[in-house]
Structures are given as structure tokens and as C-alpha cells.
Amino acid sequence: MTVVILTGASSGIGEATALRLGRPGMTLVLAARRVPELTAVRARIEANGGAAVVVPTDVGDPEAVTALVEQARAVTGRIDALVNNAGVGTNASVLAEDHSVDRAIDINLRAPIRLMRAVVPIMEEQRSGTIVNIGSVAGEVGIGGVYSATKFGLRGMTDSVRRELAGTGVTVTLIEPGYIATPGNAHRSGLPGPEIVAAAVESALRRPRRRIIVPFKYRGAVVAAHLFPAIADRIYAGKASRRR
């Protein structure tokens, strides 16, 4: 039985990922703060023949993270995969309030680091394991204020951990979605659904690789932003200030 920890599992990308992965032979450990939503996701997984454990968790709380990993390991004695999906957005301006900045750093950056610190020793002991971090195209192109900063940080941390664990049997993949149809993007139309990210997670668990950008169209934009940063400066000039 494969045991997978999935954070932010109550809605959006997390819910879509849970439903895609929830199949016979796999136990999903569903973590989020909203218990009714987690329970509903578990019921849908079980209706499809899968297995799931609900662990109410605020990933910004170090003690809650420790308890989550302990409960996941108690299922079979192993942790086969960790999907760091939980995340929050912020005001794109540098003038975002302190509480918003602190929460974004806690959830988007500190929490994945804490979770990796908790599962890596277990995976090293097993000589196997997969870590999938959900970043963002905003972690390649600075357009989201503190949100971008946390995703830039997660990208750097993911690369570092991958290199640190080379040869241990533990693999690390970063998935970077562009705009996806989630509640946070309700004001945008014509976006792909969270299922596209769920499919990328499943692919990464089966065949780990360095980085996956979805949808495909954002790959060219990321390359262009790195090669021609002045163009990105022009395109996004002043947009954050207009959204204050």
C-alpha cells in the first residue's frame, strides 16, 4: 500500500489531485484546515474504491506538521510520497500588510520546508520516496509580490533538496502551474481546470523529473522572461500598484 501525504486537499488543485490519486492500492493522507470538505473528499475517494485518512492540519503550525507526519507513518510504517500543495495568495504590492506577508511565507515556504525536513529522514531510511512541491509560474517571473517571493524561494529550496538527496532513492519534483481555474482566479475566464495540475502530480509520482510547467503554453513565457527580463518589466510595469 502506497502512502501519500497531500496538503491543501480540501479544494481546488488539492481536491482534484486527491480524486485522481485516490485508487485501490494507495492511501491518501488528506491534510487541510476545513474538516467537512476533507471528509467529503474522503467519501468520494472511498466510493471509487480508494482509501483516505483525514488529518485536520494547519501547515503553518509546526506541531500540526509533526502530528500529520506521525499519523501518516502510522498507516503502514512508511511514507512513500509527499505532495506540498497548500498555498495562499497575497496582495501583489510590496505594501501588503504584515499579517498577509507572514501568512504567505508560513504556508507557501516554511510549511513545505518543515514537511520535507520531517519526511526526508523517513524516506532516506526506506531508501525510497517522492516529494512533489507545487510552485508557480510566478516563481519564475516576479509578478505577485510576496507570493512570487515565496514561490521563488520554494523553487530554490526544491533544487537544493533535489541535489542534496541525489543517490539516496528520494526524488524531488517541482510543478509550476500558470493561471488555473480555482476559487482564487474566479475573476478570470477560459482557464484550464485544476485537473491539469493533478495529472502532472500523478505523472511526477510515476516518473519523477526536475520541473513540470503546466499548461504547456507557459513554458515559452518563462524562457522569454529569463532571456529578456526587460520585456517582462515592460509588460507588467505598474500593474501591482493599480491593484492595491
Short mmCIF file of all heavy atoms in Angstrom, two decimals, residues 180-244:
data_model
loop_
_atom_site.label_atom_id
_atom_site.label_comp_id
_atom_site.label_asym_id
_atom_site.label_seq_id
_atom_site.Cartn_x
_atom_site.Cartn_y
_atom_site.Cartn_z
N ILE A 180 -4.83 28.87 -13.17
CA ILE A 180 -5.69 27.70 -13.16
C ILE A 180 -7.07 28.12 -12.62
O ILE A 180 -7.17 28.99 -11.76
CB ILE A 180 -5.09 26.60 -12.25
CG1 ILE A 180 -3.69 26.21 -12.74
CG2 ILE A 180 -6.01 25.38 -12.19
CD1 ILE A 180 -3.64 25.56 -14.10
N ALA A 181 -8.10 27.47 -13.10
CA ALA A 181 -9.47 27.79 -12.66
C ALA A 181 -9.70 27.27 -11.25
O ALA A 181 -10.13 26.14 -11.04
CB ALA A 181 -10.48 27.18 -13.62
N THR A 182 -9.37 28.10 -10.28
CA THR A 182 -9.60 27.82 -8.86
C THR A 182 -10.36 29.00 -8.27
O THR A 182 -10.49 30.05 -8.92
CB THR A 182 -8.26 27.63 -8.12
OG1 THR A 182 -7.49 28.85 -8.23
CG2 THR A 182 -7.46 26.48 -8.70
N PRO A 183 -10.87 28.87 -7.04
CA PRO A 183 -11.62 29.99 -6.44
C PRO A 183 -10.84 31.31 -6.45
O PRO A 183 -11.43 32.38 -6.60
CB PRO A 183 -11.90 29.49 -5.03
CG PRO A 183 -11.99 28.01 -5.17
CD PRO A 183 -10.95 27.65 -6.19
N GLY A 184 -9.52 31.24 -6.29
CA GLY A 184 -8.73 32.47 -6.27
C GLY A 184 -8.65 33.17 -7.62
O GLY A 184 -8.28 34.34 -7.69
N ASN A 185 -9.01 32.45 -8.69
CA ASN A 185 -8.97 33.04 -10.02
C ASN A 185 -10.37 33.13 -10.64
O ASN A 185 -10.52 33.10 -11.86
CB ASN A 185 -8.07 32.21 -10.95
CG ASN A 185 -6.60 32.37 -10.61
OD1 ASN A 185 -6.14 33.46 -10.29
ND2 ASN A 185 -5.86 31.27 -10.68
N ALA A 186 -11.37 33.24 -9.77
CA ALA A 186 -12.76 33.26 -10.26
C ALA A 186 -13.03 34.44 -11.19
O ALA A 186 -13.96 34.39 -12.00
CB ALA A 186 -13.71 33.30 -9.07
N HIS A 187 -12.23 35.51 -11.10
CA HIS A 187 -12.44 36.68 -11.93
C HIS A 187 -11.87 36.50 -13.34
O HIS A 187 -12.07 37.35 -14.21
CB HIS A 187 -11.78 37.91 -11.29
CG HIS A 187 -10.30 37.77 -11.10
ND1 HIS A 187 -9.74 36.85 -10.23
CD2 HIS A 187 -9.26 38.43 -11.68
CE1 HIS A 187 -8.43 36.96 -10.27
NE2 HIS A 187 -8.11 37.90 -11.14
N ARG A 188 -11.18 35.39 -13.59
CA ARG A 188 -10.60 35.11 -14.90
C ARG A 188 -11.43 34.04 -15.62
O ARG A 188 -11.94 33.14 -14.99
CB ARG A 188 -9.15 34.64 -14.78
CG ARG A 188 -8.23 35.65 -14.10
CD ARG A 188 -6.82 35.11 -13.94
NE ARG A 188 -5.95 36.05 -13.24
CZ ARG A 188 -5.28 37.03 -13.82
NH1 ARG A 188 -5.36 37.18 -15.14
NH2 ARG A 188 -4.52 37.85 -13.12
N SER A 189 -11.51 34.15 -16.92
CA SER A 189 -12.29 33.17 -17.69
C SER A 189 -11.38 32.40 -18.64
O SER A 189 -10.26 32.83 -18.96
CB SER A 189 -13.39 33.88 -18.49
OG SER A 189 -12.82 34.82 -19.39
N GLY A 190 -11.87 31.24 -19.09
CA GLY A 190 -11.14 30.46 -20.08
C GLY A 190 -9.91 29.76 -19.56
O GLY A 190 -9.03 29.40 -20.35
N LEU A 191 -9.85 29.54 -18.24
CA LEU A 191 -8.66 28.90 -17.66
C LEU A 191 -8.83 27.38 -17.62
O LEU A 191 -9.95 26.87 -17.48
CB LEU A 191 -8.42 29.41 -16.24
CG LEU A 191 -8.19 30.91 -16.07
CD1 LEU A 191 -7.97 31.24 -14.59
CD2 LEU A 191 -7.00 31.38 -16.91
N PRO A 192 -7.72 26.63 -17.71
CA PRO A 192 -7.82 25.18 -17.55
C PRO A 192 -8.17 24.84 -16.11
O PRO A 192 -7.86 25.60 -15.17
CB PRO A 192 -6.42 24.70 -17.91
CG PRO A 192 -5.52 25.87 -17.62
CD PRO A 192 -6.34 27.08 -17.95
N GLY A 193 -8.82 23.71 -15.91
CA GLY A 193 -9.20 23.29 -14.57
C GLY A 193 -8.04 22.72 -13.78
O GLY A 193 -6.97 22.42 -14.34
N PRO A 194 -8.23 22.55 -12.48
CA PRO A 194 -7.16 22.02 -11.63
C PRO A 194 -6.76 20.59 -11.98
O PRO A 194 -5.70 20.13 -11.57
CB PRO A 194 -7.76 22.09 -10.22
CG PRO A 194 -9.25 22.14 -10.42
CD PRO A 194 -9.45 22.86 -11.72
N GLU A 195 -7.58 19.92 -12.77
CA GLU A 195 -7.26 18.54 -13.17
C GLU A 195 -5.95 18.47 -13.95
O GLU A 195 -5.26 17.45 -13.91
CB GLU A 195 -8.40 17.96 -14.01
CG GLU A 195 -9.71 17.77 -13.26
CD GLU A 195 -10.48 19.07 -13.07
OE1 GLU A 195 -10.16 20.08 -13.75
OE2 GLU A 195 -11.40 19.08 -12.23
N ILE A 196 -5.59 19.56 -14.64
CA ILE A 196 -4.34 19.54 -15.41
C ILE A 196 -3.13 19.46 -14.47
O ILE A 196 -2.11 18.85 -14.79
CB ILE A 196 -4.26 20.78 -16.35
CG1 ILE A 196 -3.13 20.61 -17.36
CG2 ILE A 196 -4.06 22.07 -15.56
CD1 ILE A 196 -3.11 21.71 -18.41
N VAL A 197 -3.26 20.09 -13.30
CA VAL A 197 -2.18 20.01 -12.31
C VAL A 197 -2.18 18.64 -11.63
O VAL A 197 -1.13 18.05 -11.38
CB VAL A 197 -2.31 21.13 -11.27
CG1 VAL A 197 -1.09 21.13 -10.33
CG2 VAL A 197 -2.44 22.50 -11.94
N ALA A 198 -3.38 18.14 -11.36
CA ALA A 198 -3.49 16.80 -10.75
C ALA A 198 -2.83 15.75 -11.65
O ALA A 198 -2.14 14.84 -11.17
CB ALA A 198 -4.96 16.45 -10.52
N ALA A 199 -3.03 15.87 -12.96
CA ALA A 199 -2.41 14.94 -13.90
C ALA A 199 -0.88 15.06 -13.85
O ALA A 199 -0.16 14.05 -13.95
CB ALA A 199 -2.92 15.20 -15.32
N ALA A 200 -0.38 16.29 -13.70
CA ALA A 200 1.06 16.49 -13.60
C ALA A 200 1.62 15.87 -12.33
O ALA A 200 2.72 15.31 -12.33
CB ALA A 200 1.38 17.98 -13.66
N VAL A 201 0.87 15.96 -11.22
CA VAL A 201 1.30 15.34 -9.97
C VAL A 201 1.39 13.83 -10.14
O VAL A 201 2.38 13.19 -9.76
CB VAL A 201 0.34 15.69 -8.81
CG1 VAL A 201 0.70 14.87 -7.57
CG2 VAL A 201 0.40 17.19 -8.51
N GLU A 202 0.34 13.25 -10.72
CA GLU A 202 0.35 11.80 -10.94
C GLU A 202 1.54 11.40 -11.82
O GLU A 202 2.22 10.40 -11.55
CB GLU A 202 -0.96 11.36 -11.61
CG GLU A 202 -1.05 9.85 -11.81
CD GLU A 202 -2.35 9.46 -12.46
OE1 GLU A 202 -2.78 10.13 -13.42
OE2 GLU A 202 -2.96 8.47 -12.00
N SER A 203 1.80 12.17 -12.85
CA SER A 203 2.94 11.90 -13.74
C SER A 203 4.26 11.96 -12.98
O SER A 203 5.15 11.14 -13.17
CB SER A 203 2.93 12.89 -14.91
OG SER A 203 4.06 12.72 -15.72
N ALA A 204 4.39 12.96 -12.10
CA ALA A 204 5.62 13.12 -11.33
C ALA A 204 5.83 11.98 -10.34
O ALA A 204 6.97 11.58 -10.07
CB ALA A 204 5.61 14.46 -10.59
N LEU A 205 4.74 11.46 -9.79
CA LEU A 205 4.86 10.32 -8.88
C LEU A 205 5.30 9.07 -9.62
O LEU A 205 6.05 8.25 -9.10
CB LEU A 205 3.52 10.07 -8.17
CG LEU A 205 3.05 11.16 -7.19
CD1 LEU A 205 1.69 10.80 -6.61
CD2 LEU A 205 4.07 11.37 -6.08
N ARG A 206 4.83 8.92 -10.86
CA ARG A 206 5.20 7.75 -11.66
C ARG A 206 6.60 7.88 -12.25
O ARG A 206 7.35 6.91 -12.31
CB ARG A 206 4.18 7.55 -12.79
CG ARG A 206 2.81 7.10 -12.32
CD ARG A 206 1.87 6.95 -13.49
NE ARG A 206 0.59 6.37 -13.09
CZ ARG A 206 -0.46 6.24 -13.90
NH1 ARG A 206 -0.37 6.65 -15.16
NH2 ARG A 206 -1.58 5.70 -13.46
N ARG A 207 6.91 9.10 -12.73
CA ARG A 207 8.21 9.32 -13.37
C ARG A 207 8.75 10.68 -12.90
O ARG A 207 8.50 11.70 -13.55
CB ARG A 207 8.08 9.29 -14.89
CG ARG A 207 9.42 9.40 -15.62
CD ARG A 207 9.24 9.18 -17.11
NE ARG A 207 8.49 10.24 -17.76
CZ ARG A 207 9.05 11.38 -18.20
NH1 ARG A 207 10.34 11.62 -18.04
NH2 ARG A 207 8.29 12.28 -18.82
N PRO A 208 9.43 10.70 -11.77
CA PRO A 208 9.93 11.97 -11.23
C PRO A 208 10.88 12.67 -12.22
O PRO A 208 11.64 12.01 -12.93
CB PRO A 208 10.68 11.54 -9.97
CG PRO A 208 10.09 10.22 -9.60
CD PRO A 208 9.75 9.56 -10.91
N ARG A 209 10.79 13.98 -12.25
CA ARG A 209 11.71 14.77 -13.05
C ARG A 209 11.91 16.11 -12.37
O ARG A 209 11.28 16.40 -11.37
CB ARG A 209 11.19 14.93 -14.47
CG ARG A 209 9.93 15.78 -14.60
CD ARG A 209 9.06 15.33 -15.73
NE ARG A 209 8.26 14.19 -15.32
CZ ARG A 209 7.15 13.82 -15.95
NH1 ARG A 209 6.78 14.44 -17.04
NH2 ARG A 209 6.44 12.82 -15.51
N ARG A 210 12.76 16.92 -12.94
CA ARG A 210 13.18 18.15 -12.27
C ARG A 210 12.04 19.15 -12.13
O ARG A 210 11.77 19.66 -11.04
CB ARG A 210 14.34 18.76 -13.06
CG ARG A 210 14.94 20.00 -12.44
CD ARG A 210 16.20 20.40 -13.22
NE ARG A 210 16.78 21.58 -12.64
CZ ARG A 210 16.44 22.82 -12.97
NH1 ARG A 210 15.50 23.02 -13.87
NH2 ARG A 210 17.02 23.86 -12.39
N ARG A 211 11.36 19.44 -13.23
CA ARG A 211 10.36 20.52 -13.21
C ARG A 211 9.30 20.27 -14.28
O ARG A 211 9.62 19.80 -15.37
CB ARG A 211 11.05 21.86 -13.49
CG ARG A 211 10.18 23.08 -13.27
CD ARG A 211 11.04 24.32 -13.20
NE ARG A 211 12.07 24.17 -12.16
CZ ARG A 211 13.11 24.97 -12.01
NH1 ARG A 211 13.28 25.99 -12.82
NH2 ARG A 211 13.98 24.76 -11.05
N ILE A 212 8.05 20.58 -13.93
CA ILE A 212 6.94 20.46 -14.87
C ILE A 212 6.16 21.77 -14.83
O ILE A 212 5.71 22.20 -13.78
CB ILE A 212 5.99 19.30 -14.50
CG1 ILE A 212 6.75 17.97 -14.44
CG2 ILE A 212 4.84 19.21 -15.49
CD1 ILE A 212 5.91 16.82 -13.89
N ILE A 213 6.02 22.42 -15.99
CA ILE A 213 5.25 23.66 -16.09
C ILE A 213 3.95 23.35 -16.83
O ILE A 213 3.97 22.75 -17.90
CB ILE A 213 6.04 24.75 -16.85
CG1 ILE A 213 7.31 25.12 -16.08
CG2 ILE A 213 5.18 25.98 -17.07
CD1 ILE A 213 8.21 26.11 -16.79
N VAL A 214 2.83 23.72 -16.22
CA VAL A 214 1.52 23.49 -16.85
C VAL A 214 0.66 24.76 -16.75
O VAL A 214 0.75 25.48 -15.76
CB VAL A 214 0.78 22.30 -16.17
CG1 VAL A 214 1.45 21.00 -16.49
CG2 VAL A 214 0.65 22.49 -14.66
N PRO A 215 -0.17 25.03 -17.78
CA PRO A 215 -0.20 24.39 -19.09
C PRO A 215 1.08 24.63 -19.88
O PRO A 215 1.89 25.50 -19.53
CB PRO A 215 -1.40 25.05 -19.78
CG PRO A 215 -2.18 25.70 -18.70
CD PRO A 215 -1.18 26.07 -17.64
N PHE A 216 1.23 23.89 -20.98
CA PHE A 216 2.44 23.91 -21.78
C PHE A 216 2.78 25.32 -22.26
O PHE A 216 3.96 25.68 -22.36
CB PHE A 216 2.28 22.96 -22.97
CG PHE A 216 3.48 22.89 -23.86
CD1 PHE A 216 4.53 22.04 -23.55
CD2 PHE A 216 3.57 23.66 -25.01
CE1 PHE A 216 5.65 21.96 -24.36
CE2 PHE A 216 4.69 23.59 -25.82
CZ PHE A 216 5.73 22.74 -25.51
N LYS A 217 1.75 26.13 -22.55
CA LYS A 217 1.98 27.44 -23.17
C LYS A 217 2.84 28.34 -22.31
O LYS A 217 3.49 29.27 -22.82
CB LYS A 217 0.66 28.13 -23.47
CG LYS A 217 -0.15 28.52 -22.22
CD LYS A 217 -1.44 29.21 -22.58
CE LYS A 217 -2.22 29.65 -21.34
NZ LYS A 217 -3.48 30.34 -21.69
N TYR A 218 2.89 28.12 -20.98
CA TYR A 218 3.67 28.99 -20.11
C TYR A 218 5.17 28.73 -20.20
O TYR A 218 5.97 29.54 -19.73
CB TYR A 218 3.21 28.83 -18.66
CG TYR A 218 1.88 29.48 -18.38
CD1 TYR A 218 0.72 28.73 -18.33
CD2 TYR A 218 1.79 30.85 -18.15
CE1 TYR A 218 -0.51 29.32 -18.08
CE2 TYR A 218 0.57 31.45 -17.89
CZ TYR A 218 -0.58 30.68 -17.86
OH TYR A 218 -1.78 31.28 -17.62
N ARG A 219 5.57 27.60 -20.78
CA ARG A 219 7.00 27.30 -20.85
C ARG A 219 7.74 28.34 -21.68
O ARG A 219 8.83 28.78 -21.30
CB ARG A 219 7.20 25.90 -21.43
CG ARG A 219 6.55 24.81 -20.57
CD ARG A 219 6.72 23.43 -21.16
NE ARG A 219 5.88 22.46 -20.47
CZ ARG A 219 5.85 21.18 -20.72
NH1 ARG A 219 6.63 20.67 -21.66
NH2 ARG A 219 5.05 20.37 -20.05
N GLY A 220 7.15 28.72 -22.79
CA GLY A 220 7.78 29.73 -23.62
C GLY A 220 7.86 31.07 -22.92
O GLY A 220 8.88 31.78 -23.03
N ALA A 221 6.82 31.42 -22.16
CA ALA A 221 6.82 32.69 -21.44
C ALA A 221 7.90 32.72 -20.38
O ALA A 221 8.56 33.76 -20.16
CB ALA A 221 5.45 32.92 -20.80
N VAL A 222 8.11 31.59 -19.70
CA VAL A 222 9.15 31.51 -18.67
C VAL A 222 10.53 31.67 -19.30
O VAL A 222 11.37 32.43 -18.80
CB VAL A 222 9.04 30.16 -17.91
CG1 VAL A 222 10.29 29.93 -17.06
CG2 VAL A 222 7.80 30.15 -17.04
N VAL A 223 10.77 30.98 -20.39
CA VAL A 223 12.07 31.09 -21.07
C VAL A 223 12.30 32.52 -21.52
O VAL A 223 13.39 33.09 -21.33
CB VAL A 223 12.13 30.12 -22.27
CG1 VAL A 223 13.39 30.39 -23.10
CG2 VAL A 223 12.13 28.68 -21.79
N ALA A 224 11.27 33.14 -22.11
CA ALA A 224 11.40 34.51 -22.60
C ALA A 224 11.68 35.48 -21.46
O ALA A 224 12.50 36.41 -21.59
CB ALA A 224 10.13 34.92 -23.34
N ALA A 225 11.02 35.29 -20.33
CA ALA A 225 11.22 36.19 -19.18
C ALA A 225 12.63 36.10 -18.64
O ALA A 225 13.19 37.10 -18.15
CB ALA A 225 10.21 35.86 -18.09
N HIS A 226 13.23 34.90 -18.71
CA HIS A 226 14.61 34.74 -18.24
C HIS A 226 15.61 35.32 -19.24
O HIS A 226 16.62 35.91 -18.85
CB HIS A 226 14.91 33.26 -17.99
CG HIS A 226 14.32 32.73 -16.73
ND1 HIS A 226 14.74 33.14 -15.48
CD2 HIS A 226 13.32 31.83 -16.51
CE1 HIS A 226 14.03 32.51 -14.55
NE2 HIS A 226 13.16 31.72 -15.15
N LEU A 227 15.33 35.14 -20.52
CA LEU A 227 16.27 35.62 -21.55
C LEU A 227 16.13 37.12 -21.79
O LEU A 227 17.13 37.80 -22.08
CB LEU A 227 16.02 34.87 -22.87
CG LEU A 227 16.38 33.38 -22.88
CD1 LEU A 227 16.02 32.76 -24.22
CD2 LEU A 227 17.86 33.17 -22.59
N PHE A 228 14.90 37.62 -21.65
CA PHE A 228 14.64 39.04 -21.96
C PHE A 228 13.86 39.69 -20.82
O PHE A 228 12.69 40.06 -20.98
CB PHE A 228 13.86 39.16 -23.27
CG PHE A 228 14.46 38.40 -24.42
CD1 PHE A 228 13.89 37.22 -24.86
CD2 PHE A 228 15.62 38.86 -25.04
CE1 PHE A 228 14.43 36.50 -25.92
CE2 PHE A 228 16.18 38.16 -26.09
CZ PHE A 228 15.60 36.98 -26.53
N PRO A 229 14.48 39.84 -19.65
CA PRO A 229 13.75 40.37 -18.49
C PRO A 229 13.20 41.78 -18.69
O PRO A 229 12.19 42.14 -18.09
CB PRO A 229 14.80 40.34 -17.37
CG PRO A 229 16.13 40.30 -18.07
CD PRO A 229 15.89 39.54 -19.33
N ALA A 230 13.82 42.57 -19.55
CA ALA A 230 13.33 43.93 -19.77
C ALA A 230 11.94 43.91 -20.41
O ALA A 230 11.13 44.81 -20.17
CB ALA A 230 14.30 44.70 -20.66
N ILE A 231 11.66 42.88 -21.20
CA ILE A 231 10.34 42.77 -21.81
C ILE A 231 9.29 42.50 -20.74
O ILE A 231 8.20 43.09 -20.74
CB ILE A 231 10.33 41.66 -22.88
CG1 ILE A 231 11.24 42.06 -24.04
CG2 ILE A 231 8.91 41.40 -23.37
CD1 ILE A 231 11.34 41.00 -25.13
N ALA A 232 9.63 41.60 -19.79
CA ALA A 232 8.72 41.34 -18.67
C ALA A 232 8.50 42.60 -17.86
O ALA A 232 7.39 42.88 -17.39
CB ALA A 232 9.26 40.22 -17.81
N ASP A 233 9.56 43.39 -17.66
CA ASP A 233 9.43 44.66 -16.94
C ASP A 233 8.39 45.56 -17.61
O ASP A 233 7.56 46.18 -16.94
CB ASP A 233 10.78 45.39 -16.91
CG ASP A 233 11.78 44.75 -15.97
OD1 ASP A 233 11.38 43.85 -15.20
OD2 ASP A 233 12.97 45.12 -16.01
N ARG A 234 8.45 45.61 -18.93
CA ARG A 234 7.53 46.47 -19.67
C ARG A 234 6.09 45.96 -19.58
O ARG A 234 5.15 46.72 -19.37
CB ARG A 234 7.94 46.51 -21.14
CG ARG A 234 8.53 47.81 -21.57
CD ARG A 234 8.83 47.78 -23.04
NE ARG A 234 10.10 48.42 -23.25
CZ ARG A 234 10.64 48.60 -24.44
NH1 ARG A 234 10.03 48.13 -25.51
NH2 ARG A 234 11.77 49.24 -24.56
N ILE A 235 5.94 44.66 -19.75
CA ILE A 235 4.60 44.07 -19.77
C ILE A 235 3.87 44.29 -18.44
O ILE A 235 2.69 44.62 -18.40
CB ILE A 235 4.67 42.57 -20.10
CG1 ILE A 235 5.13 42.38 -21.55
CG2 ILE A 235 3.32 41.89 -19.86
CD1 ILE A 235 5.41 40.94 -21.91
N TYR A 236 4.61 44.10 -17.33
CA TYR A 236 3.97 44.13 -16.02
C TYR A 236 4.16 45.45 -15.28
O TYR A 236 3.73 45.58 -14.14
CB TYR A 236 4.50 42.98 -15.16
CG TYR A 236 4.09 41.63 -15.71
CD1 TYR A 236 5.00 40.83 -16.38
CD2 TYR A 236 2.78 41.18 -15.58
CE1 TYR A 236 4.63 39.60 -16.91
CE2 TYR A 236 2.40 39.95 -16.10
CZ TYR A 236 3.33 39.17 -16.76
OH TYR A 236 2.95 37.97 -17.29
N ALA A 237 4.78 46.43 -15.92
CA ALA A 237 5.05 47.71 -15.26
C ALA A 237 3.78 48.34 -14.71
O ALA A 237 2.81 48.56 -15.43
CB ALA A 237 5.73 48.67 -16.24
N GLY A 238 3.78 48.63 -13.41
CA GLY A 238 2.69 49.35 -12.78
C GLY A 238 1.45 48.56 -12.46
O GLY A 238 0.53 49.08 -11.83
N LYS A 239 1.38 47.28 -12.86
CA LYS A 239 0.14 46.52 -12.67
C LYS A 239 -0.16 46.27 -11.20
O LYS A 239 -1.31 46.32 -10.78
CB LYS A 239 0.22 45.20 -13.45
CG LYS A 239 0.11 45.40 -14.95
CD LYS A 239 -0.07 44.09 -15.68
CE LYS A 239 -0.27 44.35 -17.17
NZ LYS A 239 -0.49 43.09 -17.93
N ALA A 240 0.86 45.99 -10.41
CA ALA A 240 0.61 45.73 -8.98
C ALA A 240 0.09 46.98 -8.30
O ALA A 240 -0.81 46.92 -7.47
CB ALA A 240 1.90 45.24 -8.31
N SER A 241 0.66 48.14 -8.65
CA SER A 241 0.22 49.38 -8.00
C SER A 241 -1.24 49.67 -8.30
O SER A 241 -1.97 50.20 -7.47
CB SER A 241 1.11 50.54 -8.45
OG SER A 241 0.95 50.79 -9.83
N ARG A 242 -1.71 49.29 -9.48
CA ARG A 242 -3.10 49.54 -9.86
C ARG A 242 -4.05 48.59 -9.14
O ARG A 242 -5.26 48.81 -9.10
CB ARG A 242 -3.27 49.41 -11.38
CG ARG A 242 -2.59 50.55 -12.14
CD ARG A 242 -3.09 50.60 -13.58
NE ARG A 242 -2.70 49.44 -14.36
CZ ARG A 242 -1.57 49.35 -15.04
NH1 ARG A 242 -0.69 50.34 -15.01
NH2 ARG A 242 -1.29 48.27 -15.75
N ARG A 243 -3.51 47.48 -8.56
CA ARG A 243 -4.37 46.51 -7.88
C ARG A 243 -4.36 46.71 -6.37
O ARG A 243 -4.93 45.94 -5.65
CB ARG A 243 -3.90 45.08 -8.20
CG ARG A 243 -4.12 44.68 -9.64
CD ARG A 243 -4.08 43.16 -9.78
NE ARG A 243 -2.79 42.61 -9.40
CZ ARG A 243 -1.80 42.38 -10.25
NH1 ARG A 243 -1.93 42.69 -11.51
NH2 ARG A 243 -0.67 41.84 -9.83
N ARG A 244 -3.70 47.74 -5.86
CA ARG A 244 -3.64 47.94 -4.41
C ARG A 244 -5.03 48.14 -3.82
O ARG A 244 -5.85 48.83 -4.39
CB ARG A 244 -2.78 49.16 -4.08
CG ARG A 244 -1.28 48.93 -4.29
CD ARG A 244 -0.52 50.21 -4.02
NE ARG A 244 0.88 50.06 -4.40
CZ ARG A 244 1.74 51.06 -4.45
NH1 ARG A 244 1.34 52.28 -4.16
NH2 ARG A 244 2.99 50.83 -4.78
#
